[in-house]
Amino acid sequence: MPPLLLPASPSLSLHSAAAAVAASSSRRARVAVASRSSSSSSSSLDESAFEAERLRLDADARASMATTAAGAQAVADPRAWKWKIRKRVWDVLEAEGVARNPRPVHHRIPNFDGAAAAADSLGRLDVFQNAQCVKVNPDSPQKQVRFLTLSGDKKLLTPQPRLRTGFFSFLQSQMIPTGCIPEACTSVGAAKYGRPIGLDEMIKVDLIVIGSVAVDPSTGARLGKGEGFAELEYGMLRYMGAIDDSTMVVTTVHDKQLVDDIPVEKLLIHDVPVDIICTPTQVILTNTAIPKPQGIYWEKLSPEKLGQIRILRELKRRIEQETGTILPCGPSENVPPTAQRRRRGR
């Protein structure tokens, strides 16, 4: 079945919507409770150190991905075709003036002109409006999606960047002081106001919103920035029973991120397809036939990646204890260096 295209409606402003939410009398009535509930987490968070560390890790990761991409091209790596498509899209976004900060967009989930409009199109869909809990990636172009989730009194599940300090942060509007929802949509704000959850959390996720570098509207095939965290997050949520095959996966992208040359037959078993694509101008129902991952594929997971992510090591130990078997491990790879506390001028 071919993809179904729907027109997008005019977008809303995050800032104007934030003002409306801040003016709400019900939100004013909750501020005292919200302030008390957030005080313990916010008081213990060194916001400047958290943001500096996030930026350092982001720079390290992008440098490592650039090296990996160059190496893949040089040695005819089987993943080289993915890097070729990624680079083409990143180049187009920059060359045609579509890219927005943080710049350059290379080796990122790229922010783009019209990101808020794409998010607002998603916000008008029944699948979003009917969702009670939405998992949204922490990247810049999906900031408006996180805002719509919280301002709509939905539960927001957002991962810590690169899963470096834990797993997911859980947020609700009742946990956030009046006027602070826009701040809570940032990585620092999510850590400040959110509640960290673990693998034993009993939670049902109704919708997954995922960032993309490129996506094929005819098949639902998607490419991320190349680190594989979206796939790991999806696999862990499957393990927790928070999602299943029926859980819809949506991405918000610019129209120039739509491609037609992602070979489905070359996708890996852990690659996550998308059911719906929202751009600034249209909504596309992909009717994807690509199977969704069923969990973590340990044979694909390198020891280096496993060594960096504590929650993955915890999950591996748990499964091995429950089953009495040693899980397989994938081949070695070059990955960005793990977090190290050090001073660096910025």
Side-chain angles (χ1 to χ4, degrees):
M1 183 182 298
L4 177 63
L5 279 67
L6 305 173
S9 302
S11 62
L12 302 175
S13 165
L14 184 152
H15 299 291
S16 61
V21 172
S24 165
S25 60
S26 63
R27 292 285 288 114
R28 284 199 302 268
R30 291 197 297 261
V31 66
V33 175
S35 296
R36 287 195 297 270
S37 66
S38 65
S39 61
S40 59
S41 61
S42 61
S43 61
S44 61
L45 178 68
D46 186 334
E47 297 179 38
S48 60
F50 182 96
E51 181 66 2
E53 184 75 342
R54 185 189 70 81
L55 291 172
R56 185 187 70 78
L57 285 171
D58 182 66
D60 288 345
R62 287 186 290 108
S64 178
M65 283 187 286
T67 301
T68 299
Q73 299 287 348
V75 301
D77 188 289
R79 299 168 296 177
W81 66 269
K82 289 186 175 182
W83 289 109
K84 184 179 296 184
I85 295 174
R86 290 179 182 118
K87 184 179 185 303
R88 186 184 74 221
V89 171
W90 285 324
D91 287 347
V92 166
L93 295 178
E94 289 285 0
E96 299 194 14
V98 174
R100 293 294 180 267
N101 288 328
R103 305 277 296 278
V105 295
H106 293 74
H107 305 291
R108 304 181 194 270
I109 296 297
N111 198 9
F112 57 89
D113 181 34
D120 290 335
S121 292
L122 166 59
R124 285 184 285 270
L125 297 180
D126 287 344
V127 69
F128 180 84
Q129 294 183 2
N130 294 334
Q132 297 181 27
C133 180
V134 185
K135 183 264 183 184
V136 187
N137 59 296
D139 299 283
S140 296
Q142 283 72 46
K143 183 177 181 180
Q144 173 80 348
V145 180
R146 298 191 293 277
F147 175 81
L148 293 174
T149 300
L150 289 173
S151 61
D153 287 328
K154 301 179 187 296
K155 302 170 186 174
L156 172 65
L157 205 60
T158 189
Q160 287 294 313
R162 297 188 171 85
L163 302 176
R164 61 186 177 86
T165 58
F167 190 21
F168 286 96
S169 293
F170 174 87
L171 297 96
Q172 285 182 284
S173 59
Q174 294 92 334
M175 303 164 62
I176 305 166
T178 298
C180 293
I181 285 183
E183 180 190 5
C185 297
T186 67
S187 294
V188 173
K192 179 178 179 180
Y193 299 115
R195 174 175 65 83
I197 70 168
L199 294 168
D200 293 320
E201 187 84 10
M202 299 297 294
I203 191 169
K204 180 181 182 297
V205 174
D206 302 304
L207 179 67
I208 291 178
V209 181
I210 193 170
S212 303
V213 173
V215 62
D216 189 332
S218 66
T219 64
R222 164 200 171 271
L223 296 182
K225 62 179 179 288
E227 288 189 289
F229 283 104
E231 289 75 18
L232 292 174
E233 294 156 9
Y234 186 94
M236 285 187 280
L237 289 173
R238 286 297 293 248
Y239 170 83
M240 295 169 62
I243 59 174
D244 56 29
D245 281 338
S246 67
T247 307
M248 300 290 278
V249 179
V250 185
T251 192
T252 59
V253 296
H254 194 274
D255 293 88
K256 294 185 180 299
Q257 292 174 255
L258 303 179
V259 302
D260 61 3
D261 58 343
I262 299 178
V264 172
E265 68 277 5
K266 290 187 178 182
L267 294 176
L268 301 177
I269 192 171
H270 60 260
D271 287 326
V272 180
V274 300
D275 299 291
I276 303 175
I277 304 168
C278 295
T279 81
T281 66
Q282 58 187 323
V283 174
I284 304 169
L285 310 182
T286 68
N287 298 307
T288 184
I290 301 171
K292 291 176 178 174
Q294 301 300 297
I296 298 290
Y297 295 92
W298 300 98
E299 69 276 12
K300 305 291 186 182
L301 188 62
S302 73
E304 291 82 6
K305 180 75 77 176
L306 185 65
Q308 285 192 350
I309 304 175
R310 177 186 56 79
I311 194 72
L312 271 182
R313 298 195 300 274
E314 177 184 333
L315 177 57
K316 183 173 185 289
R317 282 194 300 268
R318 178 177 299 192
I319 294 175
E320 289 176 339
Q321 289 172 357
E322 291 174 351
T323 63
T325 59
I326 302 299
L327 293 172
C329 192
S332 294
E333 64 172 335
N334 292 322
V335 296
T338 189
Q340 296 178 3
R341 298 295 176 185
R342 66 186 184 193
R343 297 182 180 273
R344 173 176 292 189
R346 286 195 175 273

